[in-house]
Amino acid sequence: ELQEAIAENAHEVWAAARMKEGWTYGPKRDDAHKKHPDLIPYSSLPDSEKEYDRQMAFDTIKLVKKLGFEIVKAK
């Protein structure tokens, strides 16, 4: 649950930054015209694309634990 939430947030932050730079959705990546096929909501991404964000989220959680922090869900 936490990993997926972090993954979704990372995608949304990435997409917002790209759009702020003038990128828009396009069916194929086109750097010259600032088009990218992943400028869609996280829920619409194929699993193959979500996996990149999930791995980053997993690595972030591992780092937090390695640094001695505990992750506890509020009740």
Side-chain angles (χ1 to χ4, degrees):
E1 179 182 354
L2 176 60
Q3 181 181 1
E4 195 67 12
I6 293 171
E8 181 173 0
N9 183 70
H11 174 74
E12 299 302 334
V13 168
W14 169 84
R18 296 297 79 75
M19 288 187 281
K20 188 175 181 181
E21 295 170 352
W23 287 75
T24 58
Y25 170 80
K28 288 185 176 180
R29 183 172 177 155
D30 180 344
D31 291 353
H33 296 101
K34 294 187 174 183
K35 302 284 184 185
H36 202 293
D38 293 344
L39 285 174
I40 57 177
Y42 180 80
S43 61
S44 298
L45 288 173
D47 273 342
S48 60
E49 295 300 324
K50 288 179 181 178
E51 193 53 40
Y52 175 84
D53 294 316
R54 289 174 179 148
Q55 186 60 51
M56 182 279 311
F58 180 72
D59 292 341
T60 300
I61 293 167
K62 282 184 7 183
L63 174 63
V64 168
K65 290 181 176 183
K66 181 180 177 182
L67 292 172
F69 293 93
E70 293 182 22
I71 300 171
V72 180
K73 185 175 182 177
K75 295 180 180 177

